[in-house]
Amino acid sequence: MSTTPPVLAAELAQAWADIQRHHPELPDLAAPESLIGESSSACGHELSFERLLHEAVHGIAAARGVRDTSRAGRYHNRRFLAIAEELGLDHPEEPHPSSGFSLVTLNPEAKRRYRPTIERLQRALKAHTAATTADTARSFRGPAARHGSSGGGVRVKAVCDCGRNVRVVPSVLAQAPIVCGGCGKPFRIPEVVGAAAG
């Protein structure tokens, strides 16, 4: 099995497509590779299917125009929790004081529904981790990689001309355009568009 990031990105895209089969309103995942090697303190999860489903909650919230977080995206509110429950995620405890309901876990029904997808993604993640761990002695990855962060910060909403939107770290979008699979045009951060016009 190849351990290159494109293979893992393809597995992430396939897992996302599996979630979309059960939740058609979920927007496409514009850049699966942006999740690789990134951890999110607000979400509290390393990359996994559970984390992908967590991100899908944000995608559906964005598609519905629901504000599911506050405090610069750190606090996950009850609107986030309501959508999370629709997708098969539970939060059995009271909200965390700083991150709210972000630490959701797969319920038994979701584990059964997505078992083959979870197993495929776990194999790809394991192979990717083995490949990237093996070469850490030979290559410098910089402080962001050493600390398990993209270094980009909080995700913001980026939109395309056809009205679709994704959440993205601005530094990831600055690296290269993220192109919409629906209309073929690049996603833009609305605030940046407004600032450029002024």
Side-chain angles (χ1 to χ4, degrees), residues 1 13 42 56 61 78 89 92-93 133 137 145 147-148 156 162 170 187 190 195 197:
M1 171 186 239
R78 290 192 183 277
L89 293 166
E93 303 162 8
T133 302
H147 297 291
V156 297
C162 70
F187 283 92

Side-chain angles (χ1 to χ4, degrees), residues 25-179:
E25 69 184 304
L26 177 63
D28 291 340
L29 182 60
E33 61 277 4
S34 69
L35 294 171
I36 299 171
E38 178 184 326
S39 66
S40 171
S41 59
C43 298
H45 294 293
E46 292 300 318
L47 186 55
S48 65
F49 183 78
E50 194 168 76
R51 164 81 189 285
L52 201 61
L53 205 55
H54 177 122
E55 296 299 334
V57 173
H58 291 304
I60 288 177
R64 294 178 182 175
V66 171
R67 186 170 178 192
D68 62 341
T69 63
S70 59
R71 302 179 195 167
R74 289 185 308 274
Y75 190 87
H76 293 58
N77 60 35
R78 290 192 183 277
R79 291 182 292 274
F80 170 85
L81 182 59
I83 298 170
E85 288 171 347
E86 289 178 39
L87 270 68
L89 293 166
D90 288 334
H91 190 282
E93 303 162 8
E94 289 298 308
H96 186 275
S98 62
S99 62
F101 295 100
S102 68
L103 299 177
V104 288
T105 57
L106 282 166
N107 68 28
E109 181 185 334
K111 285 179 184 176
R112 281 190 300 276
R113 176 186 311 140
Y114 294 112
R115 177 173 285 125
T117 304
I118 292 167
E119 289 171 356
R120 264 195 339 269
L121 185 57
Q122 283 175 336
R123 283 192 300 272
L125 285 165
K126 185 176 177 182
H128 176 72
T129 299
T132 56
T133 302
D135 73 348
T136 54
R138 298 192 312 266
S139 61
F140 177 72
R141 295 178 176 277
R146 286 197 310 272
H147 297 291
S149 168
S150 66
V154 176
R155 288 182 186 87
V156 297
K157 183 165 84 171
V159 298
C160 72
D161 291 344
C162 70
R164 299 175 80 204
N165 61 66
V166 295
R167 288 178 178 261
V168 63
V169 176
S171 63
V172 171
L173 192 59
Q175 292 172 11
I178 297 174
V179 179

